[in-house]
Amino acid sequence: MQTELSKRLGVEHAIFGFTPFPAVAAAISRAGGFGVLGAVRYTAPDDLKRDLDWVEAHVDGKPYGLDVVMPAKKVEGVSEADVEAMIPDGHRQFVQDTLAKYGVPELAEGEASGWRITGWMEQVARGQLDVAFDYPIKLLANALGSPPADVVARAHEQNALVAALAGSARHAVKHKEGGIDIVVAQGYEAGGHTGEIASMVLTPEVVDAVDPLPVLAAGGIGSGQQAAAALALGAQGVWLGSLWLTCTEADVSSPAVTRKLLAAGSGDTVRSRALTGKPARQLRTEWTDAWDDPAGPGTLPMPLQGLLVAEALTRIQKYEVEPLLGTPVGQIVGRMTSERSVQAVFDDLTRGFEEAVDRINRIAGRSGT
Amino acid sequence: MQTELSKRLGVEHAIFGFTPFPAVAAAISRAGGFGVLGAVRYTAPDDLKRDLDWVEAHVDGKPYGLDVVMPAKKVEGVSEADVEAMIPDGHRQFVQDTLAKYGVPELAEGEASGWRITGWMEQVARGQLDVAFDYPIKLLANALGSPPADVVARAHEQNALVAALAGSARHAVKHKEGGIDIVVAQGYEAGGHTGEIASMVLTPEVVDAVDPLPVLAAGGIGSGQQAAAALALGAQGVWLGSLWLTCTEADVSSPAVTRKLLAAGSGDTVRSRALTGKPARQLRTEWTDAWDDPAGPGTLPMPLQGLLVAEALTRIQKYEVEPLLGTPVGQIVGRMTSERSVQAVFDDLTRGFEEAVDRINRIAGRSGT
Ligand SMILES: Cc1cc2nc3c(=O)[nH]c(=O)nc-3n(C[C@H](O)[C@H](O)[C@H](O)COP(=O)(O)O)c2cc1C
Ligand SMILES: Cc1cc2nc3c(=O)[nH]c(=O)nc-3n(C[C@H](O)[C@H](O)[C@H](O)COP(=O)(O)O)c2cc1C
């Protein structure tokens, strides 16, 4: 599975894997794909340094990348305390009432919430980049909007390509104008923050809109057949996020989350603002139902919602409160029915791709294959 | 573009076209695809007879089919008046207020609303079948649920295959159990009544769930690249509905609708209950916004909503009240940017398909093509 872009990056298969887990990122690159480590959960630069050291040591010299969450709009001089102060009491009460209803225990004194707003702030993302550019990363991806011009320039100086996620052709064109090299067209069915246009429609629309920039198709891909479909739509590769969550190398927050992922069908996700304040696809749970219920107070805008629920989510995860326990994941979760190694997933992807190519050639009446 | 199913039906390309317009259905079959005429708008059997005569005379002996809307649940002894009586006054008032706000004129006295609930009732669909089985239809499709066993048996006696639309693997399996021959897996991005699972995920899921039944992929297909993608996903053909609406042969309700379709982008549709009471993808308009507004009375369940808005929609169409004027259509509307003949659309589909096959072979490193 070779495209111009995979050749340019020196990887065997045009399969890109986003993952928050260093062991998964390294395994994807070792298997002949391109592993991209998600940085948003690293609030302390030293933790990122430690994990990049680990990736560097386990990647067998293969290329890999980093994904940061750098908001397009800069918020200057605003502290976490300022943001805290903007959260209405009624919303705080709703969090407490919901946790109480399910008997979710408190954290021990001094125990920190695992997730902080700060990972979403430009200062923090810049700190991550200061660390990351000490490593030979070959791709820098940005989740929210185009990265600032100086960041693009710095990446290019370091011989890294820059990618940005887009859920519409309009956003993709903005990214192109911002000087980036690759657009990740992320469809409605994807896990995480996502728009309303499905991959079948979005991929070719973005390909045409940013031509000649290469496009990676993201959203709903979990088999070689789906990879073949995305490539038929004009993508230069596929970008998968959900599928790795049930890999043996993944370090998901709790075994209960893995159980829920393995059991979920394609209809068991919801695009909800409950997690961050922007629509993100995730497992549908009684927690997302509570936030999406018109009878409740509703969600707050980003970044307030994320800050509001951070401690609650840590408690729900720590105590494995199953009805409330969720994770971002896409509709492909219906196909994630067993725990497998990254290598086994890769073998399956490449075999399925070849089968799809055979099939398409038969349908086209072409025999010389 | 030949699959087992297209061979079985004796068509050159595995491209199926749903359309409410006889001239489009006939043109699709003449172009080497399989035209399927939608029957829901024929409340008078004689009108259907007239149009099937026309199709028969213009199809050059090529095969074609009929699509009926036969609800899975039988409602016996309920008249239109009974259903009328179930509509709350507040909802009627909301319709009148909204029409008044936009200054929509009344119909002339005695002028009928174009759309009646009765097309959705089993008795009416059975009347349509009594007419249709006098013609050599090769496919009978059903939009809502599996057709009753006696209808399936009758179609088979007449050498017609039976297809049913499904938005989830669970529904598809029910159809299979109901003895049908073909499942149309219709994704979230499709025009008309549709579920939440996008085609990229739904198609292979349904293919596996109903194996060895053939599956047609519907939703989001408007190019040969998208057809190739759907076939890579395991479909035995593609089923398109939206794309024909801007064909020169189509007889859409008004030139203003065509203008709106040509101007709309992929983000200009909405999955709303405003039309029938069940979620259906359509152009987003100030009319759908009014019904989807939490401040309004909200929509009624099927079939009440359809009955409630029938006269209003006729008035909006007749007087071309642009802000309120809509039509069912899918996200592929973004690609419908010019009026073309069905034959030109077909040429584009088959050329795009060949290009996608070339592309996929290059990516797979196969040269013998
Ligand atoms: C658990 C999870 C976390 C994610 N976090 C991020 C993120 O921090 N940054 C980002 O660019 N994309 C993130 N995404 C989106 C992925 O990059 C990718 O676009 C998406 O998962 C592709 O669709 P799929 O889930 O159907 O494979 C996340 C996805 C998942 C499933
Ligand atoms: C204007 C319009 C009317 C439709 N009416 C029906 C119908 O009466 N019966 C039916 O089975 N499907 C109906 N559909 C759905 C189509 O059969 C088809 O599944 C769908 O259009 C495919 O997705 P696409 O719109 O992206 O091509 C309709 C679609 C459109 C656009």
Side-chain angles (χ1 to χ4, degrees):
Chain A
M1 209 188 296
Q2 279 275 354
T3 62
E4 273 176 52
L5 182 63
S6 65
K7 284 179 205 153
R8 189 162 158 201
L9 285 167
V11 295
E12 198 184 341
H13 305 293
I15 298 173
F16 294 70
F18 167 90
T19 173
F21 309 117
V24 176
I28 291 169
S29 290
R30 279 203 312 274
F34 191 97
V36 180
L37 181 66
V40 71
R41 70 194 182 108
Y42 297 97
T43 45
D46 278 354
D47 293 345
L48 178 59
K49 198 170 155 37
R50 180 201 61 214
D51 281 1
L52 283 174
D53 279 337
W54 193 95
V55 170
E56 192 56 33
H58 290 83
V59 85
D60 288 359
K62 300 287 173 70
Y64 62 92
L66 191 81
D67 176 281
V68 295
V69 179
M70 200 173 260
K73 267 188 254 145
K74 209 165 173 157
V75 191
E76 298 220 56
V78 178
S79 71
E80 197 164 304
D82 298 333
V83 180
E84 286 273 9
M86 294 165 72
I87 296 176
D89 288 340
H91 280 77
R92 292 197 189 279
Q93 194 55 52
F94 182 71
V95 171
Q96 293 320 317
D97 292 349
T98 308
L99 294 172
K101 187 173 154 199
Y102 289 86
V104 182
E106 308 255 351
L107 293 181
E109 211 171 302
E111 208 176 351
S113 141
W115 195 88
R116 305 308 295 165
I117 184 188
T118 44
W120 299 86
M121 291 187 148
E122 182 172 328
Q123 305 87 294
V124 176
R126 286 190 177 269
Q128 293 167 345
L129 290 180
D130 286 337
V131 171
F133 281 131
D134 284 343
Y135 297 81
I137 57 166
K138 287 279 170 285
L139 180 84
L140 176 68
N142 191 28
L144 298 175
S146 307
D150 68 298
V151 171
V152 174
R154 192 164 156 203
H156 286 165
E157 270 163 38
Q158 309 245 0
N159 283 319
L161 297 180
V162 180
L165 276 70
S168 71
R170 197 170 56 84
H171 281 145
V173 168
K174 273 202 192 160
H175 292 333
K176 187 185 181 190
E177 289 164 1
I180 61 127
D181 308 292
I182 301 167
V183 174
V184 181
Q186 203 205 28
Y188 161 87
E189 52 273 73
H193 290 115
T194 186
E196 301 219 55
I197 316 294
S199 291
M200 182 67 89
V201 172
L202 182 70
T203 310
E205 202 171 11
V206 171
V207 166
D208 286 358
V210 302
D211 181 66
L213 285 195
V215 171
L216 298 172
I221 300 170
S223 71
Q225 284 79 3
Q226 285 158 329
L231 295 165
L233 294 173
Q236 287 221 12
V238 291
W239 173 282
L240 286 66
S242 294
L243 194 65
W244 321 109
L245 291 175
T246 48
C247 282
T248 44
E249 291 91 341
D251 184 23
V252 295
S253 55
S254 85
V257 170
T258 302
R259 275 199 306 277
K260 283 190 123 179
L261 286 171
L262 295 174
S266 58
D268 293 330
T269 74
V270 64
R271 209 171 141 263
S272 167
R273 296 179 189 266
L275 207 55
T276 65
K278 279 188 195 267
R281 188 171 298 285
Q282 52 198 289
L283 283 183
R284 182 178 166 186
T285 65
E286 295 183 27
W287 179 255
T288 62
D289 283 351
W291 286 104
D292 295 335
D293 187 344
T299 54
L300 297 173
M302 182 182 263
L304 301 187
Q305 181 71 14
L307 196 60
L308 171 63
V309 300
E311 196 229 10
L313 294 182
T314 307
R315 285 163 64 183
I316 291 166
Q317 273 176 18
K318 177 167 177 186
Y319 297 106
E320 300 201 344
V321 187
E322 293 239 20
L324 304 179
L325 193 62
T327 173
V329 73
Q331 293 186 335
I332 197 67
V333 71
R335 284 306 174 103
M336 294 157 49
T337 53
S338 66
E339 289 186 84
R340 295 178 297 168
S341 67
V342 167
Q343 183 65 54
V345 167
F346 249 81
D347 292 344
D348 187 51
L349 287 169
T350 50
R351 191 177 47 237
F353 174 70
E354 296 297 332
E355 283 171 15
V357 178
D358 290 343
R359 180 180 160 74
I360 254 331
N361 277 312
R362 273 197 308 276
I363 292 173
R366 304 201 190 177
S367 49
T369 52
Chain B
M1 211 189 295
Q2 278 275 356
T3 63
E4 274 174 51
L5 181 64
S6 65
K7 285 179 204 150
R8 190 163 158 201
L9 285 167
V11 294
E12 198 184 340
H13 304 295
I15 298 172
F16 294 70
F18 168 91
T19 172
F21 310 117
V24 175
I28 292 169
S29 290
R30 279 202 313 273
F34 192 97
V36 180
L37 180 66
V40 71
R41 71 194 181 108
Y42 296 96
T43 46
D46 278 354
D47 293 346
L48 178 60
K49 198 170 155 36
R50 180 201 59 213
D51 281 2
L52 283 174
D53 279 337
W54 194 95
V55 170
E56 193 56 33
H58 290 82
V59 85
D60 287 1
K62 300 287 172 71
Y64 62 93
L66 191 80
D67 176 279
V68 294
V69 179
M70 199 173 260
K73 265 188 257 146
K74 207 165 175 158
V75 191
E76 297 221 56
V78 178
S79 71
E80 197 166 303
D82 298 334
V83 180
E84 286 273 9
M86 294 166 71
I87 297 176
D89 288 339
H91 281 77
R92 292 196 190 278
Q93 194 56 52
F94 182 72
V95 171
Q96 293 319 318
D97 291 349
T98 309
L99 294 173
K101 187 172 154 200
Y102 289 87
V104 182
E106 308 256 350
L107 294 180
E109 213 171 301
E111 208 177 351
S113 141
W115 196 88
R116 305 308 296 164
I117 184 187
T118 45
W120 299 86
M121 291 187 148
E122 184 173 328
Q123 305 88 292
V124 176
R126 285 189 179 270
Q128 293 168 344
L129 290 179
D130 286 337
V131 171
F133 282 130
D134 283 342
Y135 297 81
I137 57 167
K138 288 279 168 286
L139 180 84
L140 176 67
N142 190 27
L144 298 176
S146 307
D150 69 297
V151 171
V152 175
R154 190 161 158 208
H156 287 165
E157 269 163 39
Q158 309 244 359
N159 282 320
L161 297 179
V162 180
L165 275 72
S168 71
R170 197 170 55 84
H171 281 145
V173 168
K174 274 202 192 159
H175 291 333
K176 186 185 180 189
E177 288 164 2
I180 61 127
D181 308 293
I182 301 167
V183 175
V184 181
Q186 201 206 29
Y188 161 86
E189 52 273 72
H193 290 117
T194 186
E196 302 219 56
I197 316 294
S199 291
M200 182 67 90
V201 172
L202 182 70
T203 311
E205 203 170 10
V206 171
V207 166
D208 286 358
V210 302
D211 181 64
L213 285 195
V215 172
L216 298 173
I221 300 170
S223 71
Q225 285 79 3
Q226 285 158 329
L231 295 165
L233 295 173
Q236 288 220 14
V238 292
W239 173 281
L240 286 67
S242 294
L243 195 64
W244 320 110
L245 292 174
T246 47
C247 282
T248 44
E249 292 91 340
D251 185 23
V252 296
S253 54
S254 85
V257 170
T258 302
R259 275 200 306 277
K260 282 190 124 177
L261 286 170
L262 294 174
S266 59
D268 293 330
T269 74
V270 65
R271 210 172 141 262
S272 166
R273 297 178 188 268
L275 207 55
T276 65
K278 280 187 194 270
R281 186 171 301 285
Q282 52 199 287
L283 283 183
R284 182 178 166 187
T285 65
E286 294 183 27
W287 179 255
T288 63
D289 283 352
W291 287 105
D292 296 335
D293 187 344
T299 54
L300 295 173
M302 183 183 259
L304 303 188
Q305 181 72 14
L307 196 60
L308 171 63
V309 300
E311 196 229 9
L313 294 182
T314 307
R315 287 164 62 184
I316 292 166
Q317 272 174 20
K318 176 166 177 188
Y319 297 106
E320 300 202 344
V321 187
E322 292 234 4
L324 304 179
L325 193 61
T327 174
V329 73
Q331 293 186 335
I332 197 65
V333 70
R335 285 305 174 104
M336 295 156 50
T337 53
S338 66
E339 288 186 84
R340 294 178 297 167
S341 69
V342 167
Q343 183 64 55
V345 167
F346 248 80
D347 292 344
D348 187 51
L349 287 170
T350 51
R351 189 178 48 237
F353 174 70
E354 296 298 331
E355 283 171 14
V357 178
D358 290 343
R359 181 181 158 76
I360 260 318
N361 277 310
R362 273 198 308 276
I363 293 173
R366 305 200 189 175
S367 50
T369 51

